[in-house]
Amino acid sequence: MTFRASPFVRPALLALTLGLLGSSGAQSGTATQTASLVATPPTAPTFCTEDLELYVELEVGGRNRGTRLVYPEGEALWVEAAALTPSEAGYVAAQKDCNGVAFVRLNPTLRTRLDGQALSLVVEANPALLGTTTYRVGTGQVSYASDLPLLRLSYSVAAAADVSRGVDTAAMQVAVQYWRGNLRLEGSARLAGGQGRTPGTVYGARADYDLSPSWQVGAFADAGSGEERFGVRSSLSRLVLRDVGPIELDFPSDAEVQVTVDGETRTAFLAPAGHLVLTDVRAKYTSGTVAVRWTDGVREGQSTFPYRQASALQPGSFGVTGEVAWNTRAGLEANVEGRYVLTPQVSLQAGFEQSNGTPRASLGAVWQDGEQGANLNASTDFGVRPSGAPSAEGVGTRVQAGYAARTGPVTFGLSSTWTVTPAGTDPRRSEARLVAAYNRSSLEMYASVAYSLSRELSGRVGLDYRPTAAALLSASADMGREGVRFRVRGRFMLGSGRSVAVEGRPGPGFAAEYTQAIDNDLLRLNVQNLAPYVAGTYTLNRGISATASVNSSGQGAVSVTGSVSRVAGQLTWNSTRDGSVLFLKTGVPGLTLRVNGQPQGRTDAAGDVVLTGFRAGLPLQLSFDPSELPIEVGYRQDRVGLLPDRAGVNELDWRENFTVSRWVTLRWAEGHSAAGATLEVAGQVFTADDEGAALLPPLPAGVPALLRSEDGTQRCHVVTGPKGEVPACGS
């Protein structure tokens, strides 16, 4: 499905889009609209007289349609046909021309309010007269495919020392990665040593290739410390998500709609006024939320729809991973795992492993009902000695069962595990556990207790209380073999990135911590009544991550971690060694982009930016500040939820989210500028300034427009040219 940006549009540009696109059938997905315009043969209109002519400010379905010509005829109202959108065809009772302009008579069942003194006409929305649109969302998977090469050098250096012994440990790791399309190559080296240790170096190489989105193959090799290991690996999957729809909403007027599933924007489209039914909404979890955000250029809102389902995968889904390697010390090694979804509640699992000359196989079945919060897991392992005789240590059957439920602020759960070996029930690996929690407003209480067949009883109780947004008080008690241990803790936010935490336990157990955020850096000081008594740590996070720590016992440590990447001619520094890269195209120079609310980059002269430091498969929100945009630039949305799925370069073309307008001088037939005039295009009105200049977005060719003078006495019809230009009247 083609990804399209969504709501939060500047009203003028959105309204133009609504008029030009007409219905959601032009958008991605599948949409069906049940209404169509009523057409009647032209007849001599009786209402078309100057005595009935009235210019009013028209509002339909809560959205302003500009200054319009209206003819009241008895109980009937005739309005310009251009003031209605195609989705409002049910509002039309008849259609006729008056002086070359199409007018429609409003359906008499509509509720209208005509104010002759205020010169306004309000037409209330009537859902019964609007159509029904069905929109198929599907997986809505955004394509992040990119053929841009990524070259990355990652590094990590760490050392720890003691005043009396000198350097205790030291390690350094360097890796070079090259990613392009479906190909991934990596080479690495790691050197480690220290007091009493023999320095050693380990080298590694990796090569992976995606034969398809669901089938990956690769090879690897490691050498060093007297051991070599090399082999191949592969994974194959077919995962089909279940549908959590249908979802139904009503809109009084055409609106831009954005559908987000668990934080990931699946699609955005133009929804016609009326009843909207969203189908084929695929969710990746057993429970979560579908959010529908909308705007009609004036109003905006959001509706949320929580869901729960027995399983996120449809029957027939499966996944298999396998790896085979030769180890110069241990010989042949293998590991294969597979899973098959039999029903929405039942899945089968199987595995095979060979290590140190001993093969081991496993079979299992899982029953899980996400809607009811219940699960049952049964598995068995079977191992064989190198001689071929069964290994008693390798035989075992394990059964797990659990149930969880929530009623208001109370959550409770019950689980049990039973493990059987040839010698009988294993008491240390067989237990029952009960958990309960209460969570309301600023108070949370929790408790858990477990009992094993070895007659061991353990448990924990505690509470968290938040008297203010800047304070958290906690108390807990743990019960086990060593008796009962109590602990109290408090954390207080002091503002300006500062916080203090204190902790106390019976006996020698007092500790305090002070933290101070300095831009992106962090200072942490610890004090306790056990050695070391005082410790301090400073973390630098500015393109690299560097940490230095010392304590009163004479110990210290330092580490430096980071990477430098080159993508699309841009060089970026990052404080993490790996992670995904997003190459974003906006077409807007100098725009600051935020990832999860934090500024991460600024677009270059071409409107492009490279963002780094996030992981594939984790959702993130991309946003910008609309106030940074120049007046000529409009936008369809100021944020979007993404789920980049590539560990290398993810590329997203977001240029269609922005519209660059231009100043156009409107002119009458004699060539004079149309100062103060209005240009009506597709139901939207643009007003010219004192010099006749109006700010217009890009217009398609062949769109009819009406130029009207400020006092309404002069007007003419024009049609946009081949490049969307607005010609002078009469040309």
Side-chain angles (χ1 to χ4, degrees):
M1 178 176 292
T2 303
F3 175 77
R4 296 182 182 274
S6 75
F8 300 93
V9 188
R10 295 186 176 180
L13 298 180
L14 172 64
L16 174 65
T17 304
L18 299 179
L20 294 178
L21 295 182
S23 71
S24 64
Q27 303 297 313
S28 60
T30 303
T32 305
Q33 190 175 339
T34 60
S36 61
L37 284 173
V38 177
T40 59
T43 59
T46 59
F47 65 86
C48 189
T49 64
E50 293 185 2
D51 294 339
L52 298 178
E53 187 176 88
L54 188 64
Y55 283 97
V56 298
E57 193 74 13
L58 177 62
E59 178 184 300
V60 181
R63 189 163 68 89
N64 187 281
R65 307 299 170 93
T67 302
R68 295 292 178 177
L69 182 58
V70 175
Y71 289 97
E73 185 186 27
E75 296 296 327
L77 284 173
W78 293 84
V79 301
E80 296 179 51
L84 301 182
T85 64
S87 61
E88 295 165 339
Y91 292 171
V92 177
Q95 179 173 320
K96 294 182 180 181
D97 286 350
C98 175
N99 297 326
V101 179
F103 281 80
V104 295
R105 179 164 58 87
L106 296 179
N107 192 306
T109 60
L110 286 169
R111 296 184 60 181
T112 61
R113 296 192 303 274
L114 177 62
D115 190 332
Q117 293 184 343
L119 297 179
S120 65
L121 173 60
V122 176
V123 181
E124 296 184 9
N126 188 335
L129 299 178
L130 297 173
T132 296
T133 301
T134 300
Y135 190 92
R136 182 176 178 270
V137 176
T139 57
Q141 184 63 50
V142 181
S143 175
Y144 299 101
S146 175
D147 197 43
L148 290 173
L150 163 66
L151 183 62
R152 175 161 54 202
L153 172 66
S154 60
Y155 52 88
S156 175
V157 180
D162 187 280
V163 173
S164 60
R165 297 190 302 270
V167 177
D168 277 340
T169 60
M172 180 179 67
Q173 184 170 347
V174 178
V176 178
Q177 298 173 328
Y178 177 81
W179 306 61
R180 183 161 192 172
N182 296 334
L183 177 65
R184 301 179 294 279
L185 302 174
E186 178 180 343
S188 62
R190 185 177 187 276
L191 174 65
Q195 288 284 351
R197 301 182 182 182
T198 302
T201 304
V202 178
Y203 302 95
R206 304 284 187 274
D208 294 282
Y209 188 80
D210 297 337
L211 297 174
S212 71
S214 59
W215 188 9
Q216 295 81 37
V217 296
F220 58 90
D222 297 293
S225 301
E227 179 181 358
E228 288 78 38
R229 184 175 182 269
F230 52 89
V232 295
R233 59 191 175 198
S234 181
S235 63
L236 177 65
S237 63
R238 178 184 177 273
L239 306 178
V240 182
L241 301 176
R242 298 183 67 199
D243 182 10
V244 298
I247 293 175
E248 302 185 23
L249 306 96
D250 291 287
F251 296 106
S253 60
D254 293 358
E256 279 281 348
V257 173
Q258 180 192 52
V259 181
T260 301
V261 182
D262 299 318
E264 177 191 5
T265 299
R266 291 293 178 84
T267 187
F269 61 96
L270 181 65
H275 191 63
L276 175 65
V277 181
L278 299 176
T279 63
D280 197 25
V281 184
R282 307 287 177 169
K284 299 179 180 179
Y285 309 106
T286 56
S287 63
T289 302
V290 178
V292 180
R293 299 171 61 195
W294 61 270
T295 179
D296 60 6
V298 178
R299 300 160 300 182
E300 60 185 50
Q302 175 172 296
S303 300
T304 57
F305 303 87
Y307 70 85
R308 292 183 67 89
Q309 54 181 345
S311 170
L313 298 176
Q314 287 189 4
S317 298
F318 69 89
V320 180
T321 61
E323 178 179 297
V324 179
W326 177 260
N327 190 311
T328 55
R329 286 185 177 178
L332 182 65
E333 297 178 340
N335 189 0
V336 180
E337 296 180 351
R339 180 191 179 194
Y340 181 80
V341 180
L342 188 63
T343 72
Q345 291 83 18
V346 179
S347 61
L348 306 178
Q349 299 174 343
F352 174 82
E353 178 184 6
Q354 174 158 321
S355 179
N356 296 319
T358 301
R360 184 185 301 271
S362 65
L363 294 173
V366 177
W367 177 85
Q368 184 173 8
D369 191 332
E371 292 181 291
Q372 303 299 325
N375 66 84
L376 178 64
N377 186 335
S379 62
T380 182
D381 296 328
F382 182 77
V384 178
R385 297 181 187 274
S387 61
S391 170
E393 292 81 2
V395 177
T397 299
R398 188 180 188 186
V399 178
Q400 292 178 300
Y403 177 78
R406 180 168 184 170
T407 303
V410 178
T411 303
F412 67 92
L414 176 66
S415 64
S416 63
T417 302
W418 182 46
T419 304
V420 179
T421 67
T425 300
D426 186 343
R428 300 186 64 84
R429 292 189 293 167
S430 301
E431 68 170 20
R433 181 178 297 272
L434 175 66
V435 296
Y438 174 88
N439 191 339
R440 170 163 288 180
S441 185
S442 59
L443 178 64
E444 179 181 359
M445 296 184 293
Y446 54 89
S448 66
V449 60
Y451 179 77
S452 68
L453 295 185
S454 60
R455 298 184 179 181
E456 292 184 2
L457 182 66
S458 61
R460 186 181 192 190
V461 295
L463 64 85
D464 295 330
Y465 175 62
R466 191 178 294 276
T468 68
L472 175 64
L473 304 177
S474 304
S476 63
D478 294 274
M479 178 180 63
R481 290 183 178 181
E482 301 176 355
V484 180
R485 293 172 297 173
F486 297 94
R487 186 182 73 166
V488 293
R489 181 179 175 87
R491 178 172 289 275
F492 308 92
M493 308 301 296
L494 306 180
S496 302
R498 298 171 298 149
S499 68
V500 172
V502 293
E503 179 179 317
R505 302 179 183 179
F510 170 80
E513 178 184 84
Y514 171 81
T515 59
Q516 169 74 64
I518 306 172
D519 294 330
N520 292 330
D521 303 342
L522 183 66
L523 171 66
R524 179 179 287 111
L525 300 176
N526 299 88
V527 179
Q528 60 183 20
N529 61 344
L530 297 175
Y533 300 103
V534 180
T537 303
Y538 191 89
T539 301
L540 180 75
N541 189 8
R542 305 188 183 188
I544 65 171
S545 177
T547 300
S549 62
V550 294
N551 60 47
S552 57
S553 296
Q555 299 169 333
V558 63
S559 65
V560 178
T561 303
S563 62
V564 56
S565 305
R566 181 177 176 82
V567 177
Q570 296 190 30
L571 203 63
T572 59
W573 296 80
N574 198 268
S575 57
T576 59
R577 297 181 55 246
D578 51 13
S580 295
V581 174
L582 177 63
F583 178 61
L584 181 68
K585 298 180 179 180
T586 68
V588 181
L591 183 63
T592 300
L593 276 302
R594 291 172 171 81
V595 176
N596 296 332
Q598 298 298 320
Q600 292 292 326
R602 190 176 181 87
T603 57
D604 58 16
D608 302 334
V609 65
V610 176
L611 304 174
T612 61
F614 54 90
R615 294 190 176 276
L618 295 181
L620 59 90
Q621 187 179 81
L622 189 67
S623 63
F624 62 89
D625 185 355
S627 64
E628 292 186 8
L629 296 175
I631 190 174
E632 295 86 1
V633 179
Y635 64 96
R636 300 186 67 191
Q637 65 175 3
D638 63 355
R639 71 198 71 179
V640 63
L642 304 179
L643 189 65
D645 56 355
R646 300 169 64 90
V649 179
N650 298 265
E651 185 173 344
L652 180 63
D653 191 342
W654 211 25
R655 288 176 294 186
E656 70 173 12
N657 183 62
F658 302 92
T659 303
V660 180
S661 301
R662 58 192 178 96
W663 289 99
V664 176
T665 300
L666 306 178
R667 299 185 182 278
W668 298 111
E670 57 273 16
H672 300 305
S673 62
T678 57
L679 181 71
E680 302 177 11
V681 183
Q684 180 58 37
V685 179
F686 298 92
T687 303
D689 60 17
D690 294 339
E691 298 180 355
L695 187 62
L696 303 180
L699 300 173
V703 176
L706 175 64
L707 184 63
R708 193 197 309 263
S709 63
E710 188 174 8
D711 57 7
T713 59
Q714 188 177 5
R715 61 183 179 180
C716 72
H717 293 273
V718 296
V719 177
T720 58
K723 297 182 179 180
E725 66 273 16
V726 180
C729 288
S731 60

